[in-house]
Amino acid sequence: SKRVIEKCGFRYEGTLRQAERIYDGKVYDHLCYSLTRKEYQKESGYFESAEREEAMDKISFAQVARPDQIRDIVEMAGRIWHQHYDSLLPAGQVDYMLEKYQSDAAIRKQLIDGDIYFLMEYEGWSVGYSSVKVDEGTLFISKVYIYKDWRGKKLFSALLDMYEHYCRANGLAMMWLSVNRNNKESIAIYEHMGFVKEKKQITDIGNGYVMDDYIMVKRLNEGV
């Protein structure tokens, strides 16, 4: 929102009239804001080393609003989820979950309900996506999926930095996510990034399938 990006240090530059038609078919104006990399670096202390700065220069995130971006996510999900889950879940569950949660219609409904999706790029290549939702004073990181060959390039670190900066700018006390209890690799990454296991959660998703997860949290304010 306008208030959020102004709190993050962005400056208003102008308005583009009737700039874009998005997923709901409506045409919207764009308010244009800017923040230079040097301004952000000074404001947040974002870069910790020259190596980290070089890596971050290659990474970008685009908020999803257009139908073609939704189609890109549907296509990526079909590939990445099988890479990620085929060894962890029963046969048939991945395809069931893709239809239930990552079809074109499902994503459109999530966007209308307040979920925010981002496409992730590395040196101009689409390499993954993520989605979040503000939930009762916290930020729920619903999805983070990156193609296997593009992992290890600080993409998740950059994404988490963006989410954490958003939380601090908006007074959100905590980030949290769910992760399959057998997904030891992802659990280790989340723990390295400051998340801790809060509880176990089993969710019935229909058709005889369940999600057997840990809820992991990262608290951003003391006493929360």
Side-chain angles (χ1 to χ4, degrees):
S1 70
K2 177 181 175 181
R3 182 181 62 84
V4 170
I5 61 176
E6 287 176 346
K7 286 178 65 176
C8 290
F10 286 80
R11 293 195 302 268
Y12 174 71
E13 299 285 355
T15 300
L16 294 175
R17 301 295 181 186
Q18 297 185 330
E20 187 173 31
R21 185 186 303 275
I22 66 170
Y23 59 88
D24 61 5
K26 297 179 181 178
V27 177
Y28 290 88
D29 295 341
H30 281 185
L31 301 180
C32 300
Y33 287 78
S34 69
L35 177 68
T36 68
R37 189 183 67 178
K38 288 185 178 179
E39 289 171 339
Y40 181 71
Q41 182 177 357
K42 181 179 179 181
E43 175 74 17
S44 65
Y46 186 77
F47 299 118
E48 298 170 355
S49 67
E51 179 183 1
R52 180 179 176 84
E53 180 173 358
E54 182 180 356
M56 296 307 160
D57 280 345
K58 301 175 182 178
I59 297 169
S60 62
F61 306 108
Q63 185 172 341
V64 172
R66 303 192 310 270
D68 63 298
Q69 293 174 314
I70 296 174
R71 289 193 295 270
D72 287 345
I73 289 176
V74 172
E75 181 179 350
M76 278 194 284
R79 297 177 181 179
I80 300 175
W81 280 44
H82 281 288
Q83 287 181 349
H84 196 72
Y85 287 123
D86 278 354
S87 63
L88 299 173
L89 299 175
Q93 183 166 343
V94 175
D95 288 330
Y96 173 79
M97 291 171 64
L98 283 169
E99 179 62 28
K100 186 178 180 70
Y101 299 116
Q102 297 289 257
S103 66
D104 189 284
I107 293 171
R108 287 172 183 265
K109 184 178 186 305
Q110 291 163 26
L111 290 169
I112 292 170
D113 289 344
D115 291 60
I116 304 171
Y117 273 80
F118 294 95
L119 287 167
M120 307 168 66
E121 293 189 353
Y122 189 89
E123 293 187 320
W125 294 89
S126 294
V127 297
Y129 70 97
S130 178
S131 73
V132 294
K133 187 172 186 177
V134 176
D135 178 39
E136 296 183 352
T138 69
L139 188 70
F140 172 42
I141 304 175
S142 177
K143 300 170 186 68
V144 179
Y145 294 104
I146 301 169
Y147 282 121
K148 186 175 181 179
D149 291 344
W150 292 94
R151 296 169 194 167
K153 298 184 180 294
K154 300 186 183 296
L155 285 156
F156 181 61
S157 178
L159 183 73
L160 200 62
D161 281 344
M162 179 178 73
Y163 289 158
E164 185 167 336
H165 188 72
Y166 174 85
C167 287
R168 295 190 185 281
N170 291 279
L172 302 181
M174 183 177 74
M175 299 186 294
W176 64 281
L177 51 82
S178 61
V179 57
N180 185 283
R181 288 171 57 193
N182 294 316
N183 192 347
K184 296 180 180 179
E185 181 180 355
S186 292
I187 291 170
I189 292 171
Y190 296 147
E191 288 178 333
H192 178 72
M193 300 302 293
F195 287 82
V196 297
K197 296 172 186 171
E198 179 86 352
K199 62 181 179 180
K200 300 174 184 178
Q201 177 173 280
I202 297 177
T203 305
D204 186 340
I205 60 172
N207 210 40
Y209 298 121
V210 300
M211 293 192 295
D212 186 6
D213 296 332
Y214 286 120
I215 300 300
M216 301 187 70
V217 306
K218 182 174 183 179
R219 292 176 172 81
L220 304 176
N221 297 315
E222 293 296 328
V224 176

